[in-house]
């Protein structure tokens, strides 16, 4: 069978599985007007592939799990007997730990496969590795250099594939950011988010998330470090559909003006270490400081996906009471748990769906 034909059959199986779950849930009536969102069998590679209702469903489930497990001390083990293979071609603290501990909490098992532990890309092709992994595991999470490797893995895998970061996107991070903002402000649509820094994988996922949920976004990058043009065009299309503000600039002060949320990330992403000196020079004026934030909204908060270097944000802001980066880091766990749970089961949150729009 040709690769194309096989890929079609695999995808078809995923689609059929998903469609039947929608039918099963259609009889239930305990959902909000956004309706039941079955994600069984889907890949989680970019927020671009998800509807606003599906993204809200993941955030709702994440909050529900956090409440049930952390606050109410419930034992929630819907994934007993399930396993996830975690492929890491790059370092990780949060993505690895949140997935590993999250899968354990839900009753399943996570296997860590670092760059020296697996043949993928060295001794074995993506295609062959994907086929073997899916014979043994129910899910695959992969952190890779190139988004194409993730797309290839997803095409060859009959198990859902979750992005753990690529050069283009980091969707798990943005789910955690949105859960954190929703917990803090009580809504998402109605906020203005300002990005100050590199036009990188985090920015791209932030754009897709804001575009889908209609959250105003202003992005400041130095000249030459703007976002990927295709992702920017996708964002422009989403913004025009969603009646929201999207703005790009090379002036950080313009981006942060009246913003509720200031976000930044490292100026030197993994794999860009050789460009360090040039980037440090080119990002002059981009360090987030109190002086930069003079004209932000008075209820502002600061987010950073971590790991953080002092050059992109000084200690004064990073350790300020407006910085909610530790809550953001913790929320990586509840959000990846929601993703794993929804790709494998139809989960019904016990709590009411949270508010997503100011004044809703
Ligand atoms: N934010 C994030 O993805 O962190 P890690 O690189 O530690 O996984
Ligand atoms: N932009 C950073 C994010 C790390 C979580 C990187 O790709 O290294």
């Amino acid at each position: 069978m040709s690769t194309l034909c096989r890929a079609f059959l695999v995808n078809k199986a995923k689609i059929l599985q998903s469609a039947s779950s929608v039918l099963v849930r259609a009889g239930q009536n305990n959902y909000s007007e956004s309706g039941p969102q079955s994600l069984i069998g889907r890949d989680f590679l970019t927020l671009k592939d998800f509807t606003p209702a599906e993204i809200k469903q993941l955030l709702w489930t994440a909050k529900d799990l956090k409440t049930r497990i952390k606050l109410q001390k419930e034992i929630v083990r819907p994934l007993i007997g399930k396993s996830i293979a975690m492929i890491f071609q790059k370092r990780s603290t949060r993505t690895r730990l949140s997935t590993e501990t999250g899968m354990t909490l839900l009753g399943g098992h996570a296997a860590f496969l670092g760059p020296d532990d697996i043949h993928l890309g060295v001794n074995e092709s993506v295609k062959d590795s994907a086929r073997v992994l899916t014979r043994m595991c129910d899910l695959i999470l992969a952190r890779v250099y190139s988004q194409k490797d993730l797309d290839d893995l997803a095409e060859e895998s009959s198990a859902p594939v979750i992005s753990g970061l690529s050069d283009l996107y980091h969707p798990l991070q943005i789910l955690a950011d949105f859960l954190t903002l929703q917990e803090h402000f009580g809504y998402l649509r109605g906020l203005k988010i300002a990005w100050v820094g590199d036009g990188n994988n985090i920015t791209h996922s932030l754009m897709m998330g804001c575009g889908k949920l209609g959250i105003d976004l202003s992005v400041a990058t130095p000249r030459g470090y703007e976002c990927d043009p295709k992702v920017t065009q996708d964002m422009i299309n989403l913004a025009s559909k969603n009646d929201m503000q999207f703005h790009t600039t090379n002036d950080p002060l313009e981006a942060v003006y009246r913003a509720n949320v200031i976000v930044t990330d490292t100026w030197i992403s993994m794999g860009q270490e050789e460009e360090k000196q040039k980037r440090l020079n080119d990002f002059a004026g981009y360090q987030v400081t109190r002086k930069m934030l003079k004209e932000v909204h008075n209820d502002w908060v600061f987010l950073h996906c971590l790991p953080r270097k002092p050059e992109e944000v000084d200690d004064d802001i990073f350790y300020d009471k407006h910085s909610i980066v530790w809550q953001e880091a913790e929320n990586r766990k509840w959000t990846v748990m929601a993703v794993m749970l929804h790709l494998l089961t139809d989960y019904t949150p016990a709590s009411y769906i949270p508010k997503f729009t100011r004044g809703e």
Side-chain angles (χ1 to χ4, degrees):
M1 204 187 300
S2 73
T3 309
L4 195 64
C5 184
R6 222 170 12 242
F8 170 73
L9 287 178
V10 167
N11 288 336
K12 195 173 157 201
K14 286 184 184 176
I15 291 163
L16 284 176
Q17 198 179 5
S18 174
S20 70
S21 322
V22 171
L23 285 178
V24 168
R25 297 189 89 182
Q28 303 177 354
N29 59 6
N30 53 344
Y31 284 87
S32 77
E33 60 188 337
S34 63
Q37 306 300 320
S38 180
L39 302 177
I40 292 182
R42 296 267 297 275
D43 297 312
F44 185 80
L45 302 181
T46 162
L47 295 174
K48 185 182 165 188
D49 296 340
F50 290 80
T51 65
E54 288 167 344
I55 296 170
K56 289 176 188 175
Q57 173 83 52
L58 290 169
L59 293 169
W60 180 17
T61 293
K63 183 65 186 168
D64 183 76
L65 291 172
K66 189 173 180 179
T67 306
R68 289 181 66 189
I69 299 172
K70 186 177 176 182
L71 296 182
Q72 297 169 352
K73 311 285 181 217
E74 263 187 73
I75 300 203
V76 183
R77 297 268 156 83
L79 297 188
I80 287 178
K82 302 289 183 193
S83 58
I84 183 165
M86 303 189 301
I87 301 168
F88 281 87
Q89 292 182 344
K90 299 175 179 178
R91 287 184 307 275
S92 168
T93 302
R94 281 142 287 267
T95 307
R96 174 184 177 176
L97 210 54
S98 57
T99 309
E100 207 165 308
T101 56
M103 189 49 145
T104 305
L105 266 182
L106 293 173
H109 174 78
F112 174 74
L113 303 165
D116 298 327
D117 303 325
I118 184 168
H119 290 290
L120 176 69
V122 182
N123 255 343
E124 198 161 57
S125 66
V126 170
K127 181 154 94 177
D128 294 0
S129 297
R131 289 180 183 194
V132 173
L133 291 173
T134 53
R135 292 276 171 145
M136 301 190 191
C137 296
D138 304 283
L139 288 171
I140 299 174
L141 176 140
R143 169 167 286 196
V144 298
Y145 283 91
S146 156
Q147 177 68 26
K148 184 170 182 316
D149 286 347
L150 263 179
D151 294 340
D152 289 350
L153 193 60
E155 189 161 307
E156 290 297 338
S157 164
S158 55
V161 175
I162 301 171
S163 169
L165 176 149
S166 73
D167 56 344
L168 200 59
Y169 292 120
H170 194 5
L172 285 175
Q173 182 63 52
I174 300 311
L175 277 189
D177 291 7
F178 282 1
L179 175 62
T180 310
L181 294 176
Q182 196 185 34
E183 287 177 334
H184 184 85
F185 290 101
Y187 60 90
L188 293 171
R189 187 169 160 96
L191 295 174
K192 174 186 171 180
I193 301 183
W195 175 271
V196 179
D198 194 13
N200 66 13
N201 42 12
I202 306 285
T203 335
H204 294 152
S205 283
L206 182 63
M207 279 158 64
M208 290 303 97
C210 287
K212 289 282 177 167
L213 297 192
I215 306 166
D216 293 345
L217 177 66
S218 202
V219 173
T221 54
R223 263 177 231 291
Y225 295 91
E226 288 87 359
C227 292
D228 179 271
K230 281 201 202 117
V231 179
T232 305
Q233 189 54 53
D234 286 339
M235 175 59 177
I236 292 169
N237 297 342
L238 286 169
S240 65
K241 260 199 255 166
N242 272 339
D243 184 26
M244 56 170 285
Q245 301 288 322
F246 171 58
H247 170 244
T248 58
T249 174
N250 300 120
D251 179 358
L253 293 181
E254 201 180 306
V256 303
Y257 180 72
R258 303 287 297 155
N260 307 95
V261 186
I262 320 302
V263 200
T264 191
D265 180 22
T266 181
W267 298 341
I268 303 132
S269 284
M270 289 178 277
Q272 297 173 337
E273 289 79 4
E274 283 180 8
E275 299 170 33
K276 181 173 177 179
Q277 202 45 56
K278 177 171 168 32
R279 282 176 169 264
L280 289 179
N281 296 338
D282 293 347
F283 280 76
Y286 271 74
Q287 188 191 41
V288 178
T289 59
R290 203 162 295 275
K291 191 167 163 215
M292 181 191 278
L293 304 189
K294 257 198 312 216
E295 296 201 79
V296 293
H297 209 279
N298 53 14
D299 66 352
W300 66 278
V301 295
F302 174 77
L303 291 180
H304 191 306
C305 63
L306 311 180
R308 165 257 181 176
K309 308 262 180 5
E311 63 252 16
E312 68 258 9
V313 52
D314 67 6
D315 281 1
D316 184 29
I317 296 298
F318 188 67
Y319 294 108
D320 187 88
K321 63 178 188 318
H322 291 268
S323 169
I324 51 173
V325 297
W326 313 116
Q327 185 182 343
E328 178 189 12
E330 178 193 333
N331 282 338
R332 289 295 310 274
K333 181 158 161 166
W334 306 109
T335 43
V336 74
M337 286 167 70
V339 171
M340 293 189 291
L341 195 50
H342 274 292
L343 301 187
L344 291 176
T345 71
D346 274 337
Y347 176 77
T348 308
S351 51
Y352 286 109
I353 190 163
K355 207 167 80 167
F356 290 97
T357 303
R358 182 170 55 195
E360 200 175 49

